[in-house]
């Protein structure tokens, strides 16, 4: 295209020079030649400006094409970081501004060329083609900016949705943790048991066992000493050393759920079936001698 414009302008300029040198104006040949020469210089300068402008516009077109290919290949949604989306928007805005500057420069040059005797139809075609390309690329840039703006909005909405879901998950997790903790505490409470091992006198002294004349012994009635009891977990309590040669259970527990065994000559309570053993009471009182 550049060579076509040059080849169009140069012959016209040479013809103009020749005509001006050999025409009817023989009275002032020097002035005519100088005027024609100046007109040629001006025309060539304008041609060079047009060629330079065509090059600049072509470069802008390539930049826009590269930007389109980048966004088309990666997709606007792949620009996950806000800084990336901001940079792309800034690049698009700069390209839009550059195209506007090219459009204004082209219009100015066209106005100047219209008054030149070297202006040709081919120049008109070239300038019109440049205008069409600028307009087309401007629309494409506007489309790209709109797509990116829509993507920003969608990404923002998705981020808000993700944040909301994350908060819901966090709340659900917190509630589940609280429920688990409460369940664990309840399980611990349900499996908490208490046992006391002592002589007849010790049990009476701690008001665990009460006896009176002509009255049946009373066990765990009234204000007995809770601190005398050992706190344990039914799930872990299997064997209770009694440190005595004789022992008997005062609280009510199924006989088949336990047994009194001898270990190194002393009694020990072995719980065979914890569920049945503690089924009637969470308290165990053993009297030893």
């Amino acid at each position: 295209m550049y060579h076509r414009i040059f080849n169009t302008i140069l012959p016209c300029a040479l013809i103009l020079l020749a005509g001006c040198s050999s025409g009817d104006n023989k009275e002032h040949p020097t002035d005519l030649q100088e005027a024609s020469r100046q007109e040629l210089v001006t025309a060539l300068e304008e041609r060079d400006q047009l060629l330079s402008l065509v090059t600049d516009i072509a470069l802008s077109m390539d930049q826009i094409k590269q930007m389109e290919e980048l966004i088309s290949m990666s997709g606007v949604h792949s620009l996950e970081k806000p800084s990336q989306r901001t940079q792309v928007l800034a690049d698009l805005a700069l390209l839009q501004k550059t195209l506007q500057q090219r459009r204004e420069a082209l219009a100015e040059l066209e106005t100047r060329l219209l008054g030149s005797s070297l202006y040709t139809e081919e120049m008109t075609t070239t300038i019109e083609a440049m205008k069409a390309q600028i307009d087309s690329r401007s629309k494409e840039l506007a489309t790209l900016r709109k797509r990116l703006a829509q993507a920003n909005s969608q990404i923002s909405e998705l981020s808000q949705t993700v944040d909301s879901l994350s908060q819901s998950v966090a709340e659900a997790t917190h509630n589940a943790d609280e429920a688990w903790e409460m369940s664990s505490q309840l399980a611990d409470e349900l499996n908490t048991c208490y046992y006391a091992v002592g002589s007849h006198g010790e049990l009476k002294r701690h008001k665990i066992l009460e006896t009176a004349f002509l009255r049946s012994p009373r066990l765990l009635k009234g204000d007995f000493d809770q601190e005398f009891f050992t706190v344990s977990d039914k799930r872990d309590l299997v064997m209770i050393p009694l440190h005595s040669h004789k022992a008997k259970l005062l609280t009510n527990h199924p006989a088949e759920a336990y047994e009194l065994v001898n270990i190194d000559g002393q009694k020990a309570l072995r719980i065979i079936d914890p569920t049945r053993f503690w089924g009637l009471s969470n308290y165990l009182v053993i009297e030893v001698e």
Side-chain angles (χ1 to χ4, degrees):
M1 182 182 293
Y2 307 154
H3 294 296
R4 288 203 305 270
I5 296 173
F6 178 79
N7 292 334
T8 301
I9 295 174
L10 188 56
C12 295
L14 294 175
I15 292 171
L16 180 63
L17 276 175
C20 292
S21 299
S22 59
D24 296 333
N25 299 317
K26 295 181 179 179
E27 298 122 355
H28 306 288
T30 303
D31 293 342
L32 292 174
Q33 288 178 3
E34 182 62 30
S36 299
R37 188 178 296 109
Q38 183 60 42
E39 185 177 354
L40 177 60
V41 169
T42 301
L44 293 177
E45 288 178 352
E46 291 173 342
R47 179 211 63 182
D48 292 340
Q49 290 179 9
L50 179 59
L51 293 178
S52 176
L53 186 56
V54 169
T55 302
D56 290 342
I57 292 174
L59 180 59
S60 298
M61 300 300 132
D62 290 339
Q63 291 175 336
I64 295 172
K65 185 177 180 181
Q66 292 173 2
M67 184 67 68
E68 286 178 326
E69 291 176 351
L70 174 64
I71 294 179
S72 297
M73 289 175 61
S74 60
V76 291
H77 294 287
S78 65
L79 303 174
E80 297 177 355
K81 295 182 179 179
S83 58
Q84 291 177 322
R85 299 195 297 273
T86 301
Q87 183 60 49
V88 171
L89 280 173
D91 292 342
L92 291 176
L94 180 60
L95 285 173
Q96 188 78 49
K97 182 178 180 180
T98 301
L99 280 182
Q100 180 60 29
Q101 292 172 346
R102 300 288 185 269
R103 181 188 289 107
E104 294 172 356
L106 189 61
E108 180 182 354
L109 183 59
E110 182 183 21
T111 301
R112 289 164 52 191
L113 288 173
L114 285 174
S116 173
S117 59
L118 299 182
Y119 192 70
T120 65
E121 292 184 1
E122 186 172 3
M123 286 185 182
T124 301
T125 302
T126 301
I127 291 175
E128 292 301 323
M130 290 294 100
K131 287 181 180 178
Q133 286 193 40
I134 290 175
D135 291 340
S136 175
R137 293 301 186 183
S138 294
K139 292 179 181 178
E140 292 173 359
L141 278 177
T143 300
L144 287 176
R145 294 178 69 180
K146 183 178 180 180
R147 287 177 56 196
L148 190 57
Q150 290 175 343
N152 282 344
S153 177
Q154 293 173 0
I155 290 172
S156 177
E157 291 176 359
L158 288 174
S159 297
Q160 292 177 0
T161 302
V162 169
D163 291 341
S164 177
L165 289 175
S166 298
Q167 183 176 357
S168 298
V169 170
E171 291 176 355
T173 302
H174 178 69
N175 293 336
D177 290 342
E178 285 187 343
W180 173 258
E181 185 176 355
M182 291 178 61
S183 175
S184 179
Q185 291 177 354
L186 180 60
D188 290 341
E189 290 176 4
L190 291 175
N191 285 285
T192 299
C193 60
Y194 309 86
Y195 67 89
V197 179
S199 64
H200 185 83
E202 288 176 324
L203 296 177
K204 286 187 64 176
R205 188 164 57 252
H206 291 283
K207 299 182 180 180
I208 296 172
L209 178 64
E210 293 181 0
T211 60
F213 183 68
L214 299 177
R215 196 170 65 184
S216 300
R218 300 176 62 194
L219 183 65
L220 301 175
K221 301 294 183 180
D223 188 19
F224 61 88
D225 186 1
Q226 182 74 39
E227 293 184 359
F228 188 70
F229 284 83
T230 300
V231 182
S232 187
D233 192 317
K234 300 175 185 178
R235 295 165 293 189
D236 302 327
L237 188 60
V238 177
M239 186 77 70
I240 302 175
L242 302 179
H243 308 292
S244 176
H245 298 288
K246 291 183 180 182
K248 64 178 179 178
L249 276 63
L250 300 184
T251 47
N252 188 18
H253 301 275
E256 63 274 13
Y258 73 93
E259 61 180 351
L260 292 171
V261 298
N262 291 312
I263 299 178
D264 297 331
Q266 292 186 329
K267 294 292 182 180
L269 173 69
R270 183 165 65 190
I271 300 174
I272 301 173
D273 187 343
T275 302
R276 295 190 63 189
F277 183 85
W278 298 104
L280 299 177
S281 174
N282 290 330
Y283 284 84
L284 167 65
V285 178
I286 302 175
E287 182 181 341
V288 296
E289 294 182 7

